[in-house]
Amino acid sequence: MSLLSLKGVTAHYGASQALFGVNLEIAEGSVVALMGRNGMGKSTTIKVICRLLKNPMGQVTFAGQDLAGLPAHRAARMGLGLVPEGRRCFTNLSVYENLYASARPGAWDFDKVHALFPRLKERSTQLAGSLSGGEQQMLAIGRALMTNPRLLILDEATEGLAPVVRQEIWAAIATLKQSGDLSILVVDKTLSELRRIADRVVILERGKSVWDGAMTDLDADVRDRHLGI
Amino acid sequence: MIREGTLNIVILCLLVAVPAYAYVMNEPFTITLATRAVIFALAGVGLNLALGQGGLVSFGHAAYFGMGGYAMGILASHAQNYDPIFDGAFLIEGTNSMPVIWVVAVVSSALLALLIGALSLRTSGVYFIMVTLAFGQMFYYFAISWPAYGGEDGLSIYVRNQFPGLNTLDPIQFFGICFAILCLVLLFVDRLNKSPFGLALNGAHQNEERARTVGINVYKLRLVAFVISGAITGLAGALFADLNRFVSPTMFSWAISGEIMIFIILGGVARLFGPVVGAAVYILLEHFLGGLSDYWFIYLGAILLGMVLFAKGGIIGKLAKKETHHGG
């Protein structure tokens, strides 16, 4: 059974339609890459999943429950953990406080997050706003993990980071995958890295899911047609 | 710059030293001034929880200040006149016991804050400011038109209420009561700010959407903070009424809401001791500048303008670096 399922999802920003029919299935314990060129609706799809967009149409179910009408905080408590684009930590709070404020009961605690990102332990008392971009990203992932999610959603988690830091983040995501406890939905443009961790790929084009298949089936023709790479 | 914790201890020591010196020098008026500062600081600490931590610019906190004041006034006036408040199926009598009055003031202010918060927190920005202001003014006009409790003229209480084992009419003892309450409330707010509740409130202030995606019910969180904030301000209102032995509709007026906000801006928004410093400086300015000119508010306005333009962290922000709560 799918952990997350989107069927025929449409969404609007005011009068402007952004999604025209998105279908997406994520099985328990799997890693799915959501791909597409800029402006194709990837971030809007994530907003729909996390209930951050008002009144989307179509069906979104998580762990067998319809998310329609559910406020964002309730969806998060059901197990949707979002690492948003642009990191967006609580900059006035320290690293420790960011994690502490988000903590919910479950397997993920300070020790596990610190084991995944030792640098967060070193920076514990430092204000989040004074961290480097990579450290803020680690904190954003750590904070999402502290909510003990069943599905971790990473929106452009490595964008704008130095290559060395990107490698660190990808290594952490690979570790999360190996643990097998989490399902992961990852939005990114780095195909070489996605190949290593994603089981399946869903491609969006003009607000519609146009290709859905195994990562191994993502051949040059599909890439050229839908991703332009 | 010094550590904020050290500065806070210095502020507390000064707050004790001034009335202690005045007591030795037999200057009860100075003790009363210090008591006023402590009570205003308490009201500011209440508002600072909503405004500083939660980012809720409430311009109607006078409603809770007045509610606390009238809770004291009504209970004490009935006790004073040996006249029950309600004499029907059951009997409700007045009281001149301070602890009972404080409980009534806190509960009634909290209930009022719950009602106002539940409605006003559905709005944000300038609408939130206007809705809270409107509620405050509503109670101001209600108090004016309520002849049973003095209407526009207010209500005098001839004898200060009683606290077991103390002579509350002695200025230094009454100061001691108010100071102890301020310390307890500061301790409570400090613990609250460091708790997941306080951190989430701060996080929601910075980024509401981000807070919701980590499972925080922002509306409920803000409502709880607003109620606690109103309850603390209500307690300050009850003490203020006891200090003056008088309550009037002025306690509900928008000018009081503005003054409480001024304490916070002067001392430092979201700083634990910001309202304490702000209230003390305000009382000092009122006393000294007020002696120079009737138009002392012009000087205060200039000082506030300077603060907003050049010292956004207020006096505390200029003197101390912001500390994080946890070391992990």
Side-chain angles (χ1 to χ4, degrees):
Chain A
M1 197 183 94
S2 291
L3 178 64
L4 178 77
S5 168
L6 274 73
K7 283 181 184 151
V9 169
T10 61
H12 294 77
Y13 289 106
S16 167
Q17 189 165 358
L19 298 183
F20 293 84
V22 173
N23 299 306
L24 176 70
E25 300 280 333
I26 301 178
E28 196 98 45
S30 72
V31 177
V32 174
L34 185 62
M35 299 188 76
R37 283 176 286 217
N38 286 342
M40 292 299 165
K42 302 186 293 295
S43 292
T44 305
T45 303
I46 285 173
K47 282 186 176 172
V48 168
I49 295 169
C50 295
R51 304 287 311 152
L52 294 172
L53 213 57
K54 276 187 181 169
N55 307 322
M57 304 290 281
Q59 195 183 38
V60 184
T61 56
F62 180 72
Q65 192 179 326
D66 194 340
L67 295 185
L70 216 61
H73 70 271
R74 293 274 302 278
R77 286 179 190 186
M78 283 175 66
L80 285 164
L82 173 66
V83 179
E85 193 179 5
R87 299 176 272 278
R88 295 186 200 148
C89 298
F90 299 134
T91 51
N92 284 357
L93 300 183
S94 71
V95 169
Y96 180 91
E97 290 168 342
N98 263 272
L99 298 175
Y100 190 47
S102 315
R104 305 198 69 77
W108 282 94
D109 56 12
F110 281 100
D111 291 340
K112 274 189 88 172
V113 169
H114 287 158
L116 187 68
F117 297 117
R119 225 178 304 171
L120 293 185
K121 192 174 185 181
E122 292 164 22
R123 301 273 188 268
S124 204
T125 56
Q126 203 170 317
L127 284 179
S130 68
L131 297 176
S132 69
E135 287 164 346
Q136 284 195 30
Q137 191 59 64
M138 289 171 197
L139 179 57
I141 297 173
R143 192 181 47 189
L145 290 171
M146 288 293 279
T147 66
N148 276 285
R150 290 177 71 183
L151 173 66
L152 182 67
I153 302 169
L154 299 147
D155 191 4
E156 307 275 12
T158 61
E159 196 178 52
L161 299 179
V164 180
V165 183
R166 291 166 81 120
Q167 288 310 313
E168 252 183 276
I169 302 287
W170 283 117
I173 296 170
T175 308
L176 291 175
K177 186 194 174 180
Q178 278 161 18
S179 73
D181 305 328
L182 274 174
S183 302
I184 301 173
L185 174 64
V186 53
V187 174
D188 212 282
K189 297 188 190 76
T190 325
L191 191 59
S192 57
E193 297 296 343
L194 288 175
R195 272 190 194 288
R196 283 170 37 198
I197 64 152
D199 304 307
R200 283 184 44 250
V201 178
V202 173
I203 298 177
L204 295 186
E205 202 169 87
R206 292 179 189 174
K208 223 173 163 180
S209 41
V210 292
W211 194 86
D212 185 344
M215 180 53 99
T216 47
D217 294 336
L218 188 72
D219 57 23
D221 178 48
V222 176
R223 292 202 306 269
D224 185 47
R225 216 163 355 117
H226 299 300
L227 301 173
I229 49 174
Chain B
M1 278 203 172
I2 58 172
R3 287 184 67 237
E4 192 175 341
T6 313
L7 181 63
N8 292 346
I9 292 168
V10 171
I11 293 163
L12 275 186
C13 291
L14 279 173
L15 219 49
V16 176
V18 171
Y21 176 77
Y23 179 70
V24 172
M25 301 305 288
N26 197 21
E27 289 177 13
F29 177 69
T30 307
I31 302 173
T32 303
L33 275 186
T35 310
R36 246 169 82 88
V38 164
I39 293 170
F40 279 154
L42 186 64
V45 170
L47 178 60
N48 203 24
L49 181 67
L51 194 151
Q53 287 297 114
L56 305 169
V57 187
S58 166
F59 208 45
H61 257 51
Y64 319 117
F65 194 72
M67 179 58 90
Y70 269 83
M72 174 271 175
I74 291 168
L75 287 170
S77 69
H78 280 275
Q80 176 177 276
N81 301 329
Y82 302 102
D83 169 30
I85 296 170
F86 180 78
D87 189 6
F90 53 91
L91 185 71
I92 303 176
E93 286 186 294
T95 178
N96 55 12
S97 160
M98 274 189 190
V100 176
I101 286 169
W102 296 340
V103 170
V104 174
V106 165
V107 171
S108 55
S109 307
L111 287 174
L112 182 61
L114 179 68
L115 175 74
I116 295 176
L119 297 169
S120 59
L121 285 168
R122 296 189 185 279
T123 64
S124 60
V126 72
Y127 298 103
F128 178 78
I129 298 171
M130 295 318 292
V131 170
T132 51
L133 173 65
F135 271 113
Q137 287 302 97
M138 210 167 84
F139 278 89
Y140 171 68
Y141 288 111
F142 176 72
I144 282 180
S145 58
W146 199 14
Y149 295 107
E152 203 167 358
D153 297 332
L155 191 61
S156 290
I157 308 298
Y158 302 115
V159 181
R160 191 169 284 158
N161 293 302
Q162 293 164 6
F163 188 90
L166 292 175
N167 174 15
T168 55
L169 280 169
D170 180 3
I172 196 71
Q173 293 194 39
F174 187 63
F175 170 84
I177 291 171
C178 296
F179 183 74
I181 289 175
L182 176 68
C183 290
L184 287 174
V185 169
L186 283 168
L187 196 66
F188 167 71
V189 171
D190 185 47
R191 300 312 304 167
L192 199 68
N193 288 346
K194 290 171 182 173
S195 71
F197 171 85
L199 296 173
L201 186 66
N202 193 322
H205 175 196
Q206 290 177 54
N207 191 328
E208 187 176 335
E209 188 176 275
R210 188 77 281 274
R212 283 192 281 139
T213 60
V214 292
I216 294 167
N217 184 344
V218 174
Y219 175 78
K220 201 169 140 188
L221 186 82
R222 286 178 173 162
L223 184 57
V224 172
F226 197 77
V227 168
I228 297 171
S229 167
I232 295 172
T233 308
L235 179 59
L239 291 172
F240 188 73
D242 237 331
L243 174 72
N244 299 323
R245 280 171 275 167
F246 178 68
V247 283
S248 77
T250 315
M251 285 184 77
F252 281 114
S253 76
W254 66 269
I256 291 284
S257 296
E259 277 179 23
I260 301 172
M261 207 176 278
I262 287 171
F263 307 149
I264 298 172
I265 296 168
L266 268 178
V269 178
R271 301 295 189 126
L272 183 65
F273 275 67
V276 181
V277 173
V281 170
Y282 183 90
I283 294 292
L284 281 175
L285 289 173
E286 185 185 48
H287 181 62
F288 290 110
L289 295 178
L292 295 176
S293 161
D294 284 344
Y295 306 107
W296 70 278
F297 268 102
I298 294 173
Y299 305 115
L300 177 70
I303 291 167
L304 266 183
L305 204 62
M307 278 288 172
V308 173
L309 290 175
F310 305 111
K312 280 185 181 166
I315 296 168
I316 299 255
K318 271 282 159 201
L319 298 174
K321 207 177 146 193
K322 183 126 180 136
E323 285 173 11
T324 57
H325 300 313
H326 293 277

